[in-house]
Amino acid sequence: MSFTNYLEDKVLNHVFGGNEYTRPSLYVGLYVKGPGETGGGSEVSGFNYARQSTTMSVAGSAPTEATNDADITFPAAAGPFGRVTHAGVFDALAGGNLLSWATLTDPSDFSAEQSHDIQTSDIFKIEAGNLKIRLD
């Protein structure tokens, strides 16, 4: 996952003597068009969609990696979401700031892109440990 400019600024200020950054609550959102370092993209909306809260654990070194502690399960779609291509981590349930984002990939290797066409009644789930944020 890539960090947004917003989060990069917060980390640099916190680590190198600027303003301290308080760890926020985390929420995962889905995109049909991926965001970039300044945000943007097209987040899913409507049809019973809502960002889902998550907690993460950090482990390892070179690289250090944060992963989701539990499954992240979105409610059954009340209508078609479309082709979901990216996930993002936010600091608010609605609005707020996008902190990081990534293209959805095959969890067996995390390198092959794997979008999902979410139709009515589909439930999208990111299994525990499959949302990975790595700095190297």
Side-chain angles (χ1 to χ4, degrees):
M1 290 191 103
S2 297
F3 280 17
T4 59
N5 291 343
Y6 172 84
L7 185 57
E8 290 170 354
D9 290 344
K10 295 295 183 187
V11 169
L12 284 172
N13 274 296
H14 180 81
V15 172
F16 296 106
N19 297 324
E20 289 197 23
Y21 182 59
T22 302
R23 180 174 36 161
S25 297
L26 302 175
Y27 301 88
V28 177
L30 302 174
Y31 284 87
V32 293
K33 179 182 176 194
E37 287 199 11
T38 59
S42 297
E43 186 177 1
V44 172
S45 65
F47 300 117
N48 204 32
Y49 168 78
R51 294 176 189 164
Q52 299 300 300
S53 64
T54 191
T55 58
M56 301 189 82
S57 295
V58 178
S61 62
T64 301
E65 184 173 79
T67 58
N68 56 313
D69 294 328
D71 292 350
I72 302 166
T73 305
F74 289 81
F81 288 0
R83 183 158 296 280
V84 174
T85 60
H86 292 75
V89 178
F90 293 84
D91 62 5
L93 181 59
N97 300 289
L98 176 63
L99 304 175
S100 62
W101 85 98
T103 302
L104 295 177
T105 58
D106 182 340
S108 67
D109 67 12
F110 295 103
S111 62
E113 290 185 21
Q114 187 177 54
S115 59
H116 298 273
D117 191 21
I118 308 299
Q119 296 298 317
T120 303
S121 300
D122 288 351
I123 296 173
F124 185 81
K125 178 171 73 170
I126 301 171
E127 293 184 359
N130 282 348
L131 180 66
K132 297 177 181 283
I133 300 174
R134 183 181 298 158
L135 295 178
D136 54 7

